[in-house]
Amino acid sequence: MVLNPVISKLSGKLVVLASASPRRLEILRNAGLRFEVVPSWFKETLDKRLFKSPQEYAVETAKQKALEVARRMPFKHLKTPDIVIGADTIVTVDGLILEKPVDKDDAYRMLSRLSGKEHSVFTGVAIVLCHEKENEEIDYQLIDFYEETKVKFADLSEDMLWEYINSGEPMDKAGGYGIQALGGMLVEFVHGDFLNVVGFPLNHFCKQLDLIYNRCPFSSDEESASVELHHNSSHTTLIERQLIEFNVTEHEDSEPKKEDLQQIIQLMDGFKASKALFTASKMGVFDLLQRKPGLDAAQVAQEIKAAVKGTEGLLGACVSLGLLQIYKNTDLATRYLWSDSPFSLHGYIQHCNETLWPLFSHLESAVREGTNQHERAFGKKANDLFQDTYYNNQSVKLRFMNAMHSIAKVTGKAVATAFDLSSYKTACDLGGCTGAIAYELTKAHPEMSVTVFDLPEVVEMSEHFHPSHTDNRVSFVAGDFFKDELPKADLYILARILHDWPDEKVHILLKKIGDACTPGCGVLLSEILLNEDRSGPSRGLLQALSMSDGKQRSAAEYSTLLKSHGFITAEIRHTDNLLDAMLCVKEMCSASS
């Protein structure tokens, strides 16, 4: 590809580089591009944990840099650019993103990590095309892309590392080195675009310009055919948007696919189905029809003290959802909705209705603010998740314990039998609530005794949930697992605990467990394990929308968390139940030399 015809397309346009990087200036000027430099004011404080991949983080940073300049210039500089170019270069190794070192020690840590290894250099680039409209408004078109280059470092001696660091070159460069200068001595090979490592993927940039100006069937002057990107722009590229428009036009007269339409309708109506289930459960419909199957709508209405018309509507909805036949419980309702069933979810359904439904009614505010909406939903602030939300009065506490008991009864056997635990004789279920999982563990492992460790207000009410024949291998101890000494055990159980708490408290708890464990002791973790690409399961991702102080994690994230406290992951089991399981073992201490 001849570059000059591509670059010449920008002749006479106000091109702005939203970067003060001398490397990017040099690369673009050497290519013959004429431009102004307006460094971006965007603060590079994006949370790296929110991005699925390093390149997404680099692209988003580049996009924010370019958009900030594009939006600022008409007001601060009193002129509108035609094109704004933003870029961000990062180095990644061992899953970590390395940006510019903050000091010499940070540079040493970065370069030591790169020594003898292959790493990736990503540059995210954003091109913003600005179009002034007649009413003085500005439309923005966004094209973004990234380039990856692989770089292999030689094994670096301490002397070489410090000699390079003391040269001062690492301090303003991603990853702590400049390949185009002294840093080139550290590199064994480069696979990919060399200029990308320097700071700007010129070849890929020119290809994008070629697509914009030479191959698209519209130009930036053809407003009727342009793809407009306003202030609420997404990551979709200009070319992708063109293809979307083509596909919409091509298929606008075709019939929608039945299965696609059904899926969307199910999602749209999902909240109605949930509320119908919650209401029927709360009004005792399933318990009534378990006792008295075959009642008609008028008789049901009389029993639950409701209007006949309303009852007919509720019963009809439950029939359509597969929960009732006219009018008796289906097997599904008998197994999970009848409150006296061994696997009844009645308690958790009431928790969903009384606690989660009000919270999710304020989901838009939760998303905008990134905070729990307890104060909006219930009229008071919750500083402590359990003390202020669930244990502040007897009825709420009992309802919450019922909810936890229902989930534990349904999931307990799957968790207790997920692994061979025969080597563990004593276990401690931290936050074990009613002891439902503890009893399943002693059933599955006859040689094991289990201590349930939970708050005093929970332990004092746990007797309401004990089975009629109490197993003396299950005992209850009152205490706060953040403040009090943990009971001694070979195996510690964390079932639906870690996702509730912020990272600092999670680390406090795991440190206490690590300190209490000797090598070979275990942690049985039971949570909803997210897919590594965070594409599901939807139940875990929807639960995260409650915006509690904690977060949902993947198996790899939990493994990393536990490894930082001396535990290695022995086994992971996706149970096909409501909760998955992981078994982690305390590492053996290495022998001293």
Side-chain angles (χ1 to χ4, degrees), residues 252 369 386:
E252 62 185 1
E369 299 166 12
F386 292 94

Side-chain angles (χ1 to χ4, degrees), residues 318-460:
C318 289
V319 169
S320 73
L321 295 172
L323 306 177
L324 296 178
Q325 296 170 340
I326 302 178
Y327 283 118
K328 63 179 182 179
N329 289 340
T330 60
D331 290 343
L332 185 70
T334 298
R335 188 167 179 79
Y336 294 113
L337 305 180
W338 173 37
S339 59
D340 288 334
S341 164
F343 298 108
S344 174
L345 287 168
H346 178 82
Y348 189 70
I349 288 167
Q350 292 310 300
H351 172 67
C352 290
N353 188 44
E354 303 296 334
T355 303
L356 299 184
W357 183 272
L359 286 175
F360 273 72
S361 297
H362 297 281
L363 181 58
E364 185 176 338
S365 297
V367 171
R368 291 187 186 282
E369 299 166 12
T371 58
N372 184 280
Q373 296 298 301
H374 190 274
E375 189 170 5
R376 274 195 179 92
F378 303 107
K380 58 184 177 180
K381 215 166 189 177
N383 295 316
D384 183 288
L385 175 68
F386 292 94
Q387 296 291 358
D388 297 339
T389 304
Y390 303 137
Y391 299 155
N392 60 345
N393 70 59
Q394 197 80 345
S395 62
V396 174
K397 175 171 45 172
L398 192 57
R399 188 174 70 223
F400 177 72
M401 291 180 69
N402 264 310
M404 297 304 99
H405 185 71
S406 351
I407 292 292
K409 287 289 286 181
V410 171
T411 61
K413 184 175 180 180
V415 172
T417 60
F419 310 111
D420 178 5
L421 303 176
S422 58
S423 61
Y424 301 106
K425 305 305 177 189
T426 58
C428 178
D429 189 358
L430 298 173
C433 200
T434 65
I437 288 182
Y439 286 111
E440 290 295 337
L441 279 164
T442 55
K443 282 183 198 173
H445 308 283
E447 302 302 315
M448 181 184 288
S449 62
V450 184
T451 300
V452 177
F453 189 68
D454 214 321
L455 296 170
E457 51 265 54
V458 175
V459 171
E460 70 183 9

Side-chain angles (χ1 to χ4, degrees), residues 142-155:
L142 174 69
I143 304 95
D144 57 44
F145 64 90
Y146 71 90
E147 184 72 26
E148 178 183 11
T149 304
K150 298 282 189 181
V151 180
K152 171 69 163 49
F153 262 30
D155 290 309

Side-chain angles (χ1 to χ4, degrees), residues 552-564:
Q552 304 292 327
R553 296 176 173 87
S554 66
E557 288 172 316
Y558 278 117
S559 294
T560 301
L561 198 59
L562 283 148
K563 186 173 178 59
S564 68

Side-chain angles (χ1 to χ4, degrees), residues 286-318:
F286 304 111
D287 286 352
L288 171 64
L289 293 176
Q290 192 66 29
R291 294 194 315 271
K292 300 178 179 180
L295 297 180
D296 62 27
Q299 292 169 320
V300 173
Q302 185 177 6
E303 292 276 353
I304 66 173
K305 297 180 172 55
V308 174
K309 180 180 178 180
T311 304
E312 284 177 340
L314 182 61
L315 293 174
C318 289

